[in-house]
CSV table of all heavy atoms in Angstrom, one decimal:
chain,number,residue,atom,x,y,z
A,31,TYR,N,75.2,17.9,-36.6
A,31,TYR,CA,76.2,17.9,-37.6
A,31,TYR,C,77.0,19.2,-37.6
A,31,TYR,O,76.4,20.2,-37.7
A,31,TYR,CB,75.6,17.7,-39.0
A,31,TYR,CG,74.8,16.4,-39.1
A,31,TYR,CD1,73.4,16.4,-38.8
A,31,TYR,CD2,75.4,15.2,-39.5
A,31,TYR,CE1,72.7,15.2,-38.8
A,31,TYR,CE2,74.7,14.0,-39.6
A,31,TYR,CZ,73.3,14.0,-39.2
A,31,TYR,OH,72.6,12.9,-39.3
A,33,TYR,N,80.9,21.0,-39.0
A,33,TYR,CA,81.9,20.9,-40.1
A,33,TYR,C,83.0,22.0,-39.9
A,33,TYR,O,82.6,23.1,-39.5
A,33,TYR,CB,81.3,21.0,-41.4
A,33,TYR,CG,80.1,20.1,-41.7
A,33,TYR,CD1,78.8,20.4,-41.3
A,33,TYR,CD2,80.2,19.0,-42.5
A,33,TYR,CE1,77.7,19.6,-41.6
A,33,TYR,CE2,79.2,18.2,-42.7
A,33,TYR,CZ,77.9,18.4,-42.3
A,33,TYR,OH,76.9,17.7,-42.6
A,35,TYR,N,85.8,24.0,-42.5
A,35,TYR,CA,86.3,24.2,-43.8
A,35,TYR,C,87.4,25.2,-43.7
A,35,TYR,O,87.6,26.0,-42.9
A,35,TYR,CB,85.2,24.8,-44.7
A,35,TYR,CG,84.0,23.9,-45.0
A,35,TYR,CD1,82.9,23.9,-44.1
A,35,TYR,CD2,84.0,23.1,-46.1
A,35,TYR,CE1,81.8,23.1,-44.4
A,35,TYR,CE2,82.9,22.3,-46.4
A,35,TYR,CZ,81.9,22.2,-45.5
A,35,TYR,OH,80.7,21.5,-45.8
A,37,GLN,N,89.2,28.2,-46.5
A,37,GLN,CA,89.2,28.8,-47.8
A,37,GLN,C,90.5,29.5,-48.1
A,37,GLN,O,90.8,30.5,-47.3
A,37,GLN,CB,88.0,29.8,-47.9
A,37,GLN,CG,87.8,30.4,-49.3
A,37,GLN,CD,86.8,31.4,-49.4
A,37,GLN,OE1,86.4,32.0,-48.3
A,37,GLN,NE2,86.4,31.8,-50.6
A,40,GLY,N,91.0,32.9,-53.6
A,40,GLY,CA,90.6,32.6,-54.9
A,40,GLY,C,90.1,31.2,-55.1
A,40,GLY,O,89.8,30.7,-56.2
A,41,MET,N,89.9,30.5,-54.0
A,41,MET,CA,89.5,29.1,-54.0
A,41,MET,C,88.2,29.0,-53.3
A,41,MET,O,87.7,29.8,-52.6
A,41,MET,CB,90.5,28.2,-53.4
A,41,MET,CG,91.9,28.3,-54.0
A,41,MET,SD,92.0,27.8,-55.7
A,41,MET,CE,91.8,26.0,-55.5
A,42,GLY,N,87.5,27.7,-53.6
A,42,GLY,CA,86.4,27.4,-52.8
A,42,GLY,C,86.7,26.8,-51.5
A,42,GLY,O,87.9,26.6,-51.1
A,43,LEU,N,85.6,26.6,-50.7
A,43,LEU,CA,85.9,26.1,-49.3
A,43,LEU,C,86.3,24.5,-49.5
A,43,LEU,O,85.6,23.8,-50.3
A,43,LEU,CB,84.7,26.2,-48.5
A,43,LEU,CG,84.4,27.6,-47.9
A,43,LEU,CD1,84.0,28.6,-49.0
A,43,LEU,CD2,83.3,27.5,-46.8
A,45,LEU,N,86.6,20.9,-47.1
A,45,LEU,CA,86.3,20.3,-45.9
A,45,LEU,C,87.4,19.7,-45.2
A,45,LEU,O,88.3,18.9,-45.8
A,45,LEU,CB,85.2,19.2,-46.1
A,45,LEU,CG,84.7,18.5,-45.0
A,45,LEU,CD1,83.9,19.5,-44.0
A,45,LEU,CD2,83.8,17.3,-45.3
A,48,TYR,N,84.6,16.7,-39.9
A,48,TYR,CA,83.3,16.9,-39.7
A,48,TYR,C,82.8,16.0,-38.5
A,48,TYR,O,83.6,15.1,-38.2
A,48,TYR,CB,82.4,16.6,-40.9
A,48,TYR,CG,82.4,15.2,-41.4
A,48,TYR,CD1,81.4,14.3,-41.0
A,48,TYR,CD2,83.4,14.8,-42.3
A,48,TYR,CE1,81.4,12.9,-41.5
A,48,TYR,CE2,83.4,13.4,-42.7
A,48,TYR,CZ,82.4,12.6,-42.4
A,48,TYR,OH,82.5,11.3,-42.8
A,50,VAL,N,79.2,14.0,-36.7
A,50,VAL,CA,77.8,13.7,-36.8
A,50,VAL,C,77.1,13.7,-35.5
A,50,VAL,O,75.9,13.5,-35.3
A,50,VAL,CB,77.5,12.4,-37.5
A,50,VAL,CG1,78.1,12.4,-38.9
A,50,VAL,CG2,78.1,11.2,-36.8
A,59,GLU,N,88.3,16.3,-46.7
A,59,GLU,CA,89.1,16.3,-47.9
A,59,GLU,C,90.6,16.7,-47.5
A,59,GLU,O,91.5,16.1,-48.1
A,59,GLU,CB,88.6,17.3,-48.9
A,59,GLU,CG,89.1,17.3,-50.3
A,59,GLU,CD,88.4,18.4,-51.1
A,59,GLU,OE1,87.5,19.0,-50.8
A,59,GLU,OE2,89.0,18.6,-52.3
A,90,PHE,N,86.3,28.3,-41.7
A,90,PHE,CA,84.8,28.4,-41.4
A,90,PHE,C,84.3,27.2,-40.7
A,90,PHE,O,84.6,26.1,-41.2
A,90,PHE,CB,84.1,28.6,-42.7
A,90,PHE,CG,84.3,30.0,-43.3
A,90,PHE,CD1,85.2,30.1,-44.5
A,90,PHE,CD2,83.7,31.1,-42.8
A,90,PHE,CE1,85.4,31.3,-45.0
A,90,PHE,CE2,83.9,32.3,-43.5
A,90,PHE,CZ,84.8,32.5,-44.5
A,97,GLY,N,71.4,15.8,-41.6
A,97,GLY,CA,72.7,15.4,-42.3
A,97,GLY,C,72.9,16.0,-43.6
A,97,GLY,O,73.9,16.5,-44.0
A,98,ARG,N,71.8,15.9,-44.4
A,98,ARG,CA,72.0,16.5,-45.8
A,98,ARG,C,71.2,17.8,-46.0
A,98,ARG,O,70.8,18.3,-47.1
A,98,ARG,CB,71.4,15.5,-46.8
A,98,ARG,CG,72.3,14.1,-46.7
A,98,ARG,CD,72.3,13.4,-48.0
A,98,ARG,NE,73.2,14.1,-48.9
A,98,ARG,CZ,73.3,13.7,-50.2
A,98,ARG,NH1,72.4,12.9,-50.7
A,98,ARG,NH2,74.2,14.3,-51.0
A,99,GLY,N,71.0,18.5,-44.8
A,99,GLY,CA,70.3,19.8,-45.0
A,99,GLY,C,71.4,20.9,-45.2
A,99,GLY,O,72.6,20.6,-45.2
A,100,ALA,N,70.8,22.1,-45.4
A,100,ALA,CA,71.8,23.2,-45.6
A,100,ALA,C,72.6,23.6,-44.3
A,100,ALA,O,72.2,23.3,-43.2
A,100,ALA,CB,70.9,24.5,-46.0
A,101,GLN,N,73.8,23.9,-44.6
A,101,GLN,CA,74.7,24.2,-43.5
A,101,GLN,C,74.8,25.7,-43.1
A,101,GLN,O,74.7,26.5,-44.1
A,101,GLN,CB,76.1,23.7,-43.9
A,101,GLN,CG,76.2,22.2,-43.9
A,101,GLN,CD,77.5,21.7,-44.5
A,101,GLN,OE1,78.6,22.4,-44.5
A,101,GLN,NE2,77.5,20.5,-44.9
A,103,PHE,N,76.8,28.7,-41.5
A,103,PHE,CA,78.3,29.1,-41.3
A,103,PHE,C,78.5,30.2,-40.3
A,103,PHE,O,77.6,31.1,-40.1
A,103,PHE,CB,78.9,29.4,-42.7
A,103,PHE,CG,79.1,28.4,-43.6
A,103,PHE,CD1,78.1,27.8,-44.4
A,103,PHE,CD2,80.4,27.8,-43.7
A,103,PHE,CE1,78.3,26.7,-45.2
A,103,PHE,CE2,80.6,26.8,-44.5
A,103,PHE,CZ,79.6,26.2,-45.3
A,104,GLY,N,79.6,30.1,-39.5
A,104,GLY,CA,80.1,31.2,-38.8
A,104,GLY,C,80.7,32.2,-39.7
A,104,GLY,O,81.0,32.0,-40.9
A,105,ASP,N,81.3,33.3,-39.1
A,105,ASP,CA,81.8,34.4,-39.9
A,105,ASP,C,83.3,34.2,-40.1
A,105,ASP,O,84.0,35.0,-40.8
A,105,ASP,CB,81.6,35.7,-39.2
A,105,ASP,CG,80.2,36.2,-39.4
A,105,ASP,OD1,79.6,35.8,-40.3
A,105,ASP,OD2,79.8,37.1,-38.6
B,31,ASP,N,74.3,14.3,-56.1
B,31,ASP,CA,72.8,14.2,-56.1
B,31,ASP,C,72.1,15.4,-55.4
B,31,ASP,O,70.9,15.3,-55.3
B,31,ASP,CB,72.4,12.9,-55.6
B,31,ASP,CG,72.6,12.7,-54.2
B,31,ASP,OD1,73.4,13.4,-53.6
B,31,ASP,OD2,72.0,11.8,-53.5
B,32,TYR,N,72.9,16.2,-54.9
B,32,TYR,CA,72.4,17.5,-54.1
B,32,TYR,C,73.2,18.6,-54.4
B,32,TYR,O,74.5,18.5,-54.2
B,32,TYR,CB,72.3,17.0,-52.6
B,32,TYR,CG,71.5,17.9,-51.7
B,32,TYR,CD1,70.3,18.4,-52.0
B,32,TYR,CD2,72.2,18.6,-50.6
B,32,TYR,CE1,69.5,19.2,-51.2
B,32,TYR,CE2,71.5,19.4,-49.8
B,32,TYR,CZ,70.2,19.7,-50.1
B,32,TYR,OH,69.6,20.7,-49.3
B,36,TYR,N,75.3,29.2,-52.3
B,36,TYR,CA,75.6,30.1,-51.1
B,36,TYR,C,75.9,31.5,-51.7
B,36,TYR,O,76.6,31.5,-52.7
B,36,TYR,CB,76.7,29.5,-50.2
B,36,TYR,CG,76.3,28.3,-49.4
B,36,TYR,CD1,76.3,27.0,-49.8
B,36,TYR,CD2,75.9,28.6,-48.1
B,36,TYR,CE1,75.9,26.0,-49.0
B,36,TYR,CE2,75.4,27.5,-47.3
B,36,TYR,CZ,75.5,26.3,-47.7
B,36,TYR,OH,75.1,25.2,-46.9
B,38,LYS,N,78.0,35.0,-50.3
B,38,LYS,CA,79.0,35.4,-49.3
B,38,LYS,C,79.4,36.9,-49.4
B,38,LYS,O,79.9,37.2,-50.5
B,38,LYS,CB,80.3,34.5,-49.4
B,38,LYS,CG,81.2,34.8,-48.2
B,38,LYS,CD,82.5,34.0,-48.4
B,38,LYS,CE,83.4,34.3,-47.2
B,38,LYS,NZ,83.8,35.7,-47.1
B,42,GLU,N,82.2,37.8,-43.9
B,42,GLU,CA,81.1,37.1,-43.3
B,42,GLU,C,81.2,35.6,-43.8
B,42,GLU,O,81.8,35.4,-44.8
B,42,GLU,CB,79.7,37.7,-43.7
B,42,GLU,CG,79.5,39.1,-43.1
B,42,GLU,CD,78.1,39.5,-43.4
B,42,GLU,OE1,77.3,38.7,-43.9
B,42,GLU,OE2,77.9,40.7,-43.2
B,43,GLY,N,80.5,34.7,-43.1
B,43,GLY,CA,80.4,33.4,-43.7
B,43,GLY,C,79.4,33.2,-44.8
B,43,GLY,O,78.5,34.1,-44.9
B,44,PRO,N,79.5,32.2,-45.5
B,44,PRO,CA,78.5,31.9,-46.6
B,44,PRO,C,77.2,31.8,-45.9
B,44,PRO,O,76.9,31.2,-44.9
B,44,PRO,CB,79.0,30.6,-47.2
B,44,PRO,CG,80.5,30.4,-46.8
B,44,PRO,CD,80.6,31.0,-45.5
B,46,PHE,N,73.3,30.3,-46.9
B,46,PHE,CA,72.5,29.4,-47.8
B,46,PHE,C,71.5,30.1,-48.6
B,46,PHE,O,70.7,31.0,-48.0
B,46,PHE,CB,71.9,28.3,-47.0
B,46,PHE,CG,70.9,27.4,-47.8
B,46,PHE,CD1,71.4,26.6,-48.8
B,46,PHE,CD2,69.5,27.5,-47.5
B,46,PHE,CE1,70.5,25.8,-49.4
B,46,PHE,CE2,68.7,26.8,-48.2
B,46,PHE,CZ,69.1,25.9,-49.2
B,89,PHE,N,78.7,30.9,-54.4
B,89,PHE,CA,79.4,29.7,-54.4
B,89,PHE,C,78.4,28.6,-54.8
B,89,PHE,O,77.2,28.5,-54.2
B,89,PHE,CB,80.1,29.3,-53.1
B,89,PHE,CG,81.2,30.1,-52.8
B,89,PHE,CD1,81.2,31.2,-51.9
B,89,PHE,CD2,82.5,29.8,-53.3
B,89,PHE,CE1,82.3,31.9,-51.6
B,89,PHE,CE2,83.6,30.5,-53.0
B,89,PHE,CZ,83.6,31.5,-52.2
B,93,SER,N,77.1,17.6,-53.3
B,93,SER,CA,77.5,16.5,-52.4
B,93,SER,C,76.9,15.1,-53.0
B,93,SER,O,76.0,15.2,-53.8
B,93,SER,CB,77.0,16.6,-51.0
B,93,SER,OG,75.6,16.6,-51.0
B,94,THR,N,77.5,14.0,-52.5
B,94,THR,CA,77.1,12.7,-53.1
B,94,THR,C,76.3,12.0,-51.9
B,94,THR,O,76.6,12.2,-50.7
B,94,THR,CB,78.2,11.8,-53.5
B,94,THR,OG1,79.0,11.5,-52.4
B,94,THR,CG2,79.0,12.5,-54.5
B,95,ALA,N,75.5,11.0,-52.2
B,95,ALA,CA,74.8,10.2,-51.3
B,95,ALA,C,75.7,9.3,-50.6
B,95,ALA,O,75.5,8.8,-49.4
B,95,ALA,CB,73.7,9.4,-52.0
B,99,ALA,N,75.0,9.9,-44.0
B,99,ALA,CA,74.0,10.9,-43.4
B,99,ALA,C,74.5,12.4,-43.5
B,99,ALA,O,73.8,13.3,-43.1
B,99,ALA,CB,73.7,10.6,-42.0
B,100,THR,N,75.7,12.6,-44.0
B,100,THR,CA,76.3,13.9,-43.9
B,100,THR,C,76.4,14.6,-45.3
B,100,THR,O,76.3,13.9,-46.3
B,100,THR,CB,77.7,13.8,-43.3
B,100,THR,OG1,78.5,13.0,-44.2
B,100,THR,CG2,77.7,13.3,-41.9
B,101,ASN,N,76.5,15.9,-45.3
B,101,ASN,CA,76.7,16.7,-46.5
B,101,ASN,C,78.1,17.0,-46.6
B,101,ASN,O,78.4,18.2,-46.1
B,101,ASN,CB,75.7,17.8,-46.4
B,101,ASN,CG,74.8,17.9,-47.6
B,101,ASN,OD1,74.9,17.2,-48.5
B,101,ASN,ND2,73.9,18.9,-47.5
B,102,LYS,N,78.9,16.2,-47.1
B,102,LYS,CA,80.4,16.7,-47.4
B,102,LYS,C,80.5,17.4,-48.6
B,102,LYS,O,80.5,16.9,-49.7
B,102,LYS,CB,81.2,15.4,-47.4
B,102,LYS,CG,81.3,14.7,-46.0
B,102,LYS,CD,82.3,13.6,-45.9
B,102,LYS,CE,81.9,12.4,-46.6
B,102,LYS,NZ,82.8,11.2,-46.4
B,103,LEU,N,80.3,18.7,-48.5
B,103,LEU,CA,80.2,19.6,-49.7
B,103,LEU,C,81.4,19.8,-50.4
B,103,LEU,O,82.5,19.9,-49.8
B,103,LEU,CB,79.6,20.9,-49.2
B,103,LEU,CG,78.2,20.9,-48.6
B,103,LEU,CD1,77.7,22.3,-48.2
B,103,LEU,CD2,77.2,20.3,-49.6
B,104,ILE,N,81.4,19.8,-51.7
B,104,ILE,CA,82.5,20.2,-52.7
B,104,ILE,C,82.1,21.4,-53.2
B,104,ILE,O,81.0,21.6,-53.9
B,104,ILE,CB,82.6,19.2,-53.8
B,104,ILE,CG1,83.0,17.8,-53.2
B,104,ILE,CG2,83.9,19.6,-54.6
B,104,ILE,CD1,84.2,17.6,-52.4
B,105,PHE,N,82.9,22.6,-53.0
B,105,PHE,CA,82.5,23.9,-53.4
B,105,PHE,C,83.2,24.2,-54.6
B,105,PHE,O,84.4,23.8,-55.0
B,105,PHE,CB,82.9,24.9,-52.3
B,105,PHE,CG,82.0,25.0,-51.2
B,105,PHE,CD1,82.0,24.1,-50.2
B,105,PHE,CD2,81.1,26.1,-51.1
B,105,PHE,CE1,81.2,24.2,-49.0
B,105,PHE,CE2,80.2,26.1,-50.1
B,105,PHE,CZ,80.3,25.2,-49.1
B,106,GLY,N,82.6,25.1,-55.5
B,106,GLY,CA,83.3,25.8,-56.6
B,106,GLY,C,84.1,26.9,-56.1
B,106,GLY,O,84.1,27.2,-55.0
B,107,THR,N,84.7,27.7,-57.0
B,107,THR,CA,85.7,28.7,-56.6
B,107,THR,C,84.9,30.1,-56.5
B,107,THR,O,85.5,31.1,-56.0
B,107,THR,CB,86.8,28.9,-57.6
B,107,THR,OG1,86.2,29.0,-59.0
B,107,THR,CG2,87.7,27.6,-57.6
Side-chain angles (χ1 to χ4, degrees):
Chain A
Y31 302 88
Y33 306 82
Y35 294 87
Q37 184 189 14
M41 302 296 288
L43 284 71
L45 181 65
Y48 66 96
V50 302
E59 190 180 353
F90 290 101
R98 301 209 76 195
Q101 294 171 20
F103 284 80
D105 285 339
Chain B
D31 68 342
Y32 187 56
Y36 281 86
K38 186 183 180 303
E42 294 185 9
F46 170 72
F89 290 100
S93 67
T94 65
T100 60
N101 235 353
K102 292 191 283 187
L103 296 177
I104 305 295
F105 280 83
T107 53

